[in-house]
Amino acid sequence: MHAPESQENVWGNEVIDSWDDQALTDIRPAHGQLSVHISNGIFKECEFVRLFLCKKLCYIWDEDKCEFFKLAGLDEAVSTACLHQQQGLTLEGQKLRRVVYGDNEIVVPVKGIITLLFLEVLNPFYVFQLFSFCLWFADDYIYYAMAILAMSAFGIIMAIIQTRKNQFNLRSTVHSSDVAMVLRKSLDKPESIPTEHLVPGDILMIPRHGCVMHCDAVLLTGNCIVNESMLTGESVPVTKTPLPNSPDILYDSKEHARHTLFCGTQVLQTRYFGNEWVLAIVIRTGFSTAKGSLVRSIMYPPPVDFKFEHDSYRFVELLAAIASIGFCYTVITKFMRGISLSTIALEALDLITIVVPPALPAAMTVGRFYAQSRLETKGIYCISPRTINVSGSIDCVCFDKTGTLTEDGLDMWGVVPVTDRKFQVPVKFIDKMKYDEITFGMVTCHSLTIIDDKLSGDPLDLKMFQSTGWLLEEPEVNDNSKFEMIFPTIVRPPKTNERSSHSKEEEYFSDTPPLEIGIVRQFPFSSSLQRMSVISRRLGAAHFHVYCKGSPETILSLSLPDT
C-alpha cells in the first residue's frame, strides 16, 4: 500500500508495506528520527520502527526487550506535571510523530461483496444445502432444486445488501473531519490544521463557542461545559476543569475523567480569564480514543459462547445420527436386492437430505433479513446479522440506574436542619428558610450553568436550587465571551423576597447590600472522592467560603467529631 500523500515527503525509499491488520511493517524516515512514547512524556528516538496492526491497534517492536508492546499515547505512565510542561510540537516533529501514530481518523472498512458472499455461503447449513442441490439435480428433482436454489439465492443477496448498507451507514456515522487550532513550538501564532493531522503532544486551542472533539485531550487551562451523551447517554452537560499540576500524580483516564475531553463529545462553551485561550493537550488519537474503542467493540465483538449456536448444531447432529441409521439400512437392503451402486448412492444420500430440512438455512436468512429491516426502522444498524438469531433466546435484560426504566423527574421533599447536634423539624418550604449556611450551601454547591437561556445541570442540583427560589445569573454579554470573565456565575435571592441574613452569617459575611454570592471555583463531583465542592465569596466580603457535599460517610470523615 502506498503512503498517504501528506506523508510522502517524510518517508524514504523503505516505505511501509501495508497499513492493514496483521501486516508487519518497517518504517524508516528519509530524514530525522522517529519518536515513540516510552513513559512520563519521554519519547525514544529511533532510526526506524517495526510495527504491525491488529484490530486497528498498533504494536511496536522493542529492540531491548525483544517483544512487541502496544503503542501508547500520552495517557500511560505520564505525570500530570509533565502534561502541563508540554509546549507543543514543531512542524517537523509533528510529521515524524504522525508517521508512527498514523492519521487521526476513525474509518470503518466496508467489506467487499465477494467477502460477504463467502462469509454467508460458507455457513455449514448452506454447504449442506449446496450438497443437497447437486444431489437433487442428479436425481432429476430439477424443479424442487431450482425452487430451493432461488429461495436461498434471494436470502443471501438480500442479507449481503442489508449488511453492506449497514456498514456504509456506520462508516458515515462514525467518520468526521474538521479544522483545529494548535500551538506550534517554532511559531509565535497558532496554526490551523486538519484534525486528521493531530498527534499526541499537540496543544489544542478550544474555540470559545465550542466544538466537537476529534481526539482525546486533557484540559490544561480554563473550564469547558461538555455534552457527553454520545459516550454515556446522559444529556446533562458536564463541567470539565483543568488537570492538577503535580509531579507525584500519574494521569489516569478514569480517575481524571473530569479533566479529559473525550473524542466524539461536544464542547458547548468554554470559560477562562479575559481573552486567554482554553488549552488542552492531545493524548490519544484514532482508534485509541474513547470513541475509537467504542467503534472497535462494534467491529470486533468479543467471541461469545452462544447457547443457540450449540443447540442448533446439536439438533443437526441428532438428525444426522437418525439419517445415518436410515442410510445404512437403505444401503444394505438395496444391495441385497441387487440394485446398481449409482441408484443406491442416490437414494441413500437423498434420505439424508430429507431428514435434515433443506429449506432451513434459507428460512433463517429470510428471517434475519426481516429482523434487520425492522431494526433499521428504529435507527439500529446490525453489521453481524448472524447474531440476530441469538436475541430470540434472551429471557433476561438488565438495566442500570434511575432514568432508564423510571422517570427522570425529582421532587424536593424538604430540608432537615441540625442545631446543637440534634435534628430539627423538617422544613418543607425551602424558599422560606433563613439565609444561613444551609441555604448558602444549597444555592452555591452545584454544577449548574445557563445554556441557551435555560438553567441546565444535574437533575438533583437543579431541583435543589429551584426549591430555594434563588436566581442564577451570568454576565449580560454575548454567549461567545460571557464565560471569559473571572466570576461567571452569581446567585442572588429574588428581588421581591430579600431578607437579612441569619445572625450567625453576619459574623462571616459583610453587611454590604445587595446579597449576592459569586461562585469563584467549582470542583465537580468525583466518583472516587464521592464528593464535590465550591469556593464562593459574598459580594463585599473579605474572605471566601468552601461548601462541600457528598456521601454521608465522606462528609463524616471530613467533619469535626465534636460537632
Side-chain angles (χ1 to χ4, degrees):
M1 176 179 277
H2 296 293
E5 294 181 1
S6 58
Q7 297 178 354
E8 286 180 353
N9 60 339
V10 180
W11 292 328
N13 295 327
E14 299 184 31
V15 297
I16 62 174
D17 299 321
S18 173
W19 281 102
D20 296 333
D21 284 357
Q22 309 295 343
L24 190 62
T25 302
D26 286 343
I27 302 178
R28 190 186 305 273
H31 52 85
Q33 288 186 323
L34 301 174
S35 57
V36 179
H37 182 235
I38 303 301
S39 64
N40 203 25
I42 300 175
F43 282 80
K44 180 180 179 181
E45 302 296 332
C46 308
E47 293 184 358
F48 81 98
V49 172
R50 175 166 293 177
L51 56 85
F52 77 94
L53 299 177
C54 179
K55 295 183 178 179
K56 301 302 178 183
L57 292 180
C58 181
Y59 294 85
I60 302 290
W61 176 254
D62 190 337
E63 292 280 352
D64 300 328
K65 298 181 180 180
C66 295
E67 64 181 14
F68 283 98
F69 66 93
K70 188 173 74 171
L71 179 63
L74 288 176
D75 57 324
E76 297 183 10
V78 181
S79 66
T80 57
C82 176
L83 294 175
H84 277 277
Q85 293 168 3
Q86 301 295 318
Q87 299 178 355
L89 302 173
T90 62
L91 183 60
E92 184 69 17
Q94 192 265 353
K95 287 182 178 179
L96 289 172
R97 194 167 292 185
R98 190 154 57 94
V99 172
V100 179
Y101 285 93
D103 287 339
N104 175 38
E105 57 183 1
I106 302 175
V107 179
V108 178
V110 177
K111 295 178 181 178
I113 296 178
I114 303 299
T115 303
L116 293 174
L117 179 63
F118 271 96
L119 289 175
E120 192 71 29
V121 172
L122 291 181
N123 186 300
F125 286 109
Y126 278 114
V127 173
F128 173 77
Q129 195 171 49
L130 180 61
F131 161 76
S132 301
F133 172 76
C134 296
L135 182 63
W136 296 328
F137 208 79
D139 204 18
D140 293 334
Y141 290 164
I142 297 177
Y143 293 113
Y144 183 67
M146 294 302 293
I148 295 296
L149 178 64
M151 184 170 26
S152 301
F154 172 78
I156 292 174
I157 292 173
M158 296 309 296
I160 291 175
I161 293 175
Q162 192 71 32
T163 302
R164 191 169 171 82
K165 181 180 178 182
N166 289 339
Q167 288 181 345
F168 274 113
N169 288 333
L170 179 62
R171 182 189 182 100
S172 61
T173 302
V174 168
H175 181 71
S176 60
S177 179
D178 204 347
V179 176
M181 299 292 291
V182 297
L183 296 180
R184 282 278 175 257
K185 216 173 187 179
S186 55
L187 300 178
D188 296 332
K189 59 181 181 179
E191 181 186 7
S192 177
I193 64 172
T195 53
E196 290 87 351
H197 293 180
L198 292 173
V199 294
D202 275 330
I203 303 296
L204 276 176
M205 301 175 67
I206 309 298
R208 293 183 176 92
H209 54 78
C211 64
V212 175
M213 295 300 298
H214 291 81
C215 61
D216 286 355
V218 172
L219 198 59
L220 300 179
T221 60
N223 291 358
C224 291
I225 300 175
V226 184
N227 180 5
E228 294 187 331
S229 58
M230 196 282 293
L231 293 178
T232 64
E234 297 285 351
S235 59
V236 178
V238 179
T239 302
K240 301 287 185 175
T241 56
L243 183 73
N245 189 349
S246 173
D248 302 324
I249 300 177
L250 292 180
Y251 173 78
D252 182 83
S253 57
K254 291 185 178 180
E255 182 180 349
H256 297 110
R258 284 290 184 176
H259 316 295
T260 306
L261 304 175
F262 294 104
C263 179
T265 60
Q266 184 178 8
V267 178
L268 301 177
Q269 293 165 341
T270 62
R271 298 177 174 181
Y272 203 36
F273 306 103
N275 293 322
E276 296 292 329
W277 280 90
V278 176
L279 303 179
I281 181 171
V282 179
I283 57 171
R284 289 185 295 257
T285 58
F287 280 95
S288 298
T289 62
K291 180 180 177 181
S293 300
L294 183 62
V295 175
R296 282 194 301 109
S297 66
I298 298 174
M299 295 171 55
Y300 310 104
V304 181
D305 188 17
F306 288 132
K307 189 174 183 295
F308 176 82
E309 294 281 344
H310 285 285
D311 290 345
S312 61
Y313 288 124
R314 287 177 183 174
F315 170 71
V316 173
E317 290 171 0
L318 177 62
L319 295 180
I322 297 173
S324 62
I325 297 174
F327 178 82
C328 295
Y329 175 79
T330 302
V331 170
I332 295 173
T333 55
K334 297 291 184 180
F335 182 76
M336 293 176 62
R337 296 176 184 175
I339 299 175
S340 63
L341 294 178
S342 59
T343 305
I344 293 176
L346 284 175
E347 293 185 1
L349 293 174
D350 185 51
L351 182 63
I352 297 178
T353 63
I354 295 175
V355 174
V356 179
L360 180 61
M364 293 178 67
T365 301
V366 172
R368 287 201 301 264
F369 169 71
Y370 178 63
Q372 276 185 289
S373 301
R374 292 177 61 195
L375 288 173
E376 189 176 359
T377 59
K378 303 292 184 180
I380 301 173
Y381 304 108
C382 179
I383 60 175
S384 181
R386 292 182 59 187
T387 58
I388 291 179
N389 294 328
V390 183
S391 61
S393 60
I394 294 176
D395 55 8
C396 179
V397 179
C398 301
F399 293 89
D400 66 335
K401 69 181 174 181
T402 304
T404 306
L405 294 177
T406 60
E407 294 182 357
D408 288 329
L410 295 169
D411 289 321
M412 188 68 174
W413 175 81
V415 174
V416 182
V418 175
T419 304
D420 297 329
R421 303 177 63 181
K422 294 182 180 179
F423 289 113
Q424 304 300 312
V425 177
V427 178
K428 297 297 183 66
F429 299 98
I430 314 301
D431 56 341
K432 304 298 183 183
M433 291 177 58
K434 294 181 179 180
Y435 291 163
D436 55 9
E437 290 95 336
I438 295 180
T439 302
F440 294 145
M442 291 175 65
V443 298
T444 59
C445 194
H446 52 71
S447 56
L448 300 179
T449 185
I450 295 177
I451 299 177
D452 296 332
D453 298 326
K454 183 180 179 182
L455 195 61
S456 303
D458 183 86
L460 187 63
D461 287 346
L462 196 60
K463 205 65 174 179
M464 179 183 69
F465 182 81
Q466 290 175 341
S467 67
T468 63
W470 281 49
L471 305 175
L472 185 143
E473 298 180 0
E474 289 169 340
E476 294 293 335
V477 291
N478 63 72
D479 287 341
N480 293 339
S481 60
K482 70 178 181 181
F483 291 129
E484 300 167 16
M485 302 184 181
I486 189 169
F487 296 124
T489 305
I490 295 174
V491 294
R492 58 165 62 110
K495 295 181 180 179
T496 57
N497 193 29
E498 288 201 17
R499 302 186 303 273
S500 61
S501 301
H502 190 268
S503 59
K504 191 173 182 179
E505 277 299 316
E506 295 175 355
E507 300 174 10
Y508 295 102
F509 291 123
S510 169
D511 293 330
T512 304
L515 177 58
E516 292 183 359
I517 303 177
I519 302 175
V520 181
R521 179 75 184 271
Q522 289 182 353
F523 299 91
F525 177 78
S526 169
S527 57
S528 58
L529 297 177
Q530 299 183 23
R531 68 173 186 266
M532 74 157 292
S533 55
V534 295
I535 300 176
S536 64
R537 181 181 181 182
R538 182 173 172 178
L539 184 65
H543 54 272
F544 297 90
H545 267 107
V546 175
Y547 292 100
C548 178
K549 69 178 180 181
S551 64
E553 59 272 17
T554 300
I555 301 301
L556 179 63
S557 66
L558 299 174
S559 304
L560 296 175
D562 57 354
T563 60

